[in-house]
Each structure stands twice: as structure tokens, then as C-alpha cells.
Amino acid sequence: SCYSCHAGYGLFNATFAKPFPHTVSMAKDYGKNQINLDEMIQLCMLAPMEAKTLPWGSRELAAPTAYVTEFQKPFIARGGAAKKMNPCAAKKMNPCGG
């Protein structure tokens, strides 16, 4: 899940406080200077999650896109001032196996 890397607003850069499309470091690694939110979700599905992408135009993709839009609002309200967090430090789920 997204929580594996983003627990407690972890691993978001200050650009997460900007509306999509915007620059995302991870997307630059794949040749995209600007990325839309639905594209970012698909990239997360492929890269860190090593899963299949969701069908374009589907409810399965619309749901996390809508969720992240709402999730982003408090981050924007804080001006992007969230602590960067190591995903291995998450208490409920440790993707690093520790």
C-alpha cells in the first residue's frame, strides 16, 4: 500500500504541496519532468510496489487518485512542512522486514 513508503507523510518532497501536474523526483528517473497524479499512482504501482498498473479510466484508479487528492490537502495546508521519514521506521508496517 501507499503506507509502505508514505507513513506519516513520509517520503514526500515539498512539491507534494503543489497541485498536480508537478515535478516529482521519482518520475524524473523515468523521463517525466511533470506528472499527473493518476500517472504517479501508476508509477508507484510499477516501481516501488512491483505490482501491475490499474486500468486507465477505471474505478480502481479513480479511487486512489481521489484519496490522494484529499490526503494532499493537509500537507498543502502545512506548506509542505512534513518530516521526511524512513519507511523502515513505520510502526504498523515495516516493508524492510525488521
Side-chain angles (χ1 to χ4, degrees):
S1 74
C2 302
Y3 186 83
S4 297
C5 294
H6 296 292
Y9 294 105
L11 297 179
F12 289 116
N13 290 321
T15 56
F16 190 63
K18 296 179 181 179
F20 283 90
H22 64 247
T23 301
V24 176
S25 297
M26 188 171 100
K28 280 187 167 187
D29 294 340
Y30 293 88
K32 295 213 46 115
N33 289 328
Q34 296 273 311
I35 194 163
N36 291 304
L37 178 54
D38 58 348
E39 295 171 319
M40 192 65 228
I41 290 169
Q42 296 285 44
L43 182 57
C44 285
M45 295 295 292
L46 285 174
M49 295 175 68
E50 298 180 358
K52 292 180 182 179
T53 58
L54 302 167
W56 290 104
S58 69
R59 289 178 67 169
E60 290 83 4
L61 180 56
T65 302
Y67 175 79
V68 173
T69 298
E70 290 301 311
F71 182 80
Q72 187 184 28
K73 287 178 182 178
F75 193 88
I76 291 170
R78 295 164 123 174
K83 295 179 184 176
K84 290 186 180 181
M85 208 173 139
N86 180 338
C88 298
K91 293 180 182 176
K92 293 183 181 178
M93 176 183 272
N94 189 338
C96 301

